[in-house]
Amino acid sequence: MSGLGFPQLAQIGVLLLFLAIFVGLLICMFRPGAREEARQAASIPFSDDGKDGQ
């Protein structure tokens, strides 16, 4: 009887979990409108909102 034991199944499960997370992140990054949202978020530190007390 040469089946997979629990440690091997756990490794496969973790691998599939990380693969699903990676694919989900790719879909999130390359969806329509993501580029503009990323540009807006990247420009936040450089915006002058006038609240710095000067």
Side-chain angles (χ1 to χ4, degrees):
M1 195 163 104
S2 63
L4 293 176
F6 178 74
Q8 290 83 14
L9 289 176
Q11 286 179 345
I12 292 171
V14 169
L15 177 68
L16 290 175
L17 174 69
F18 283 132
L19 180 65
I21 291 171
F22 178 73
V23 170
L25 287 172
L26 284 178
I27 291 171
C28 183
M29 285 177 16
F30 292 110
R31 75 186 192 285
R35 181 177 300 226
E36 184 58 34
E37 288 180 21
R39 282 189 182 149
Q40 289 175 356
S43 67
I44 289 173
F46 304 111
S47 65
D48 185 19
D49 56 2
K51 295 181 183 177
D52 56 358
Q54 294 180 5

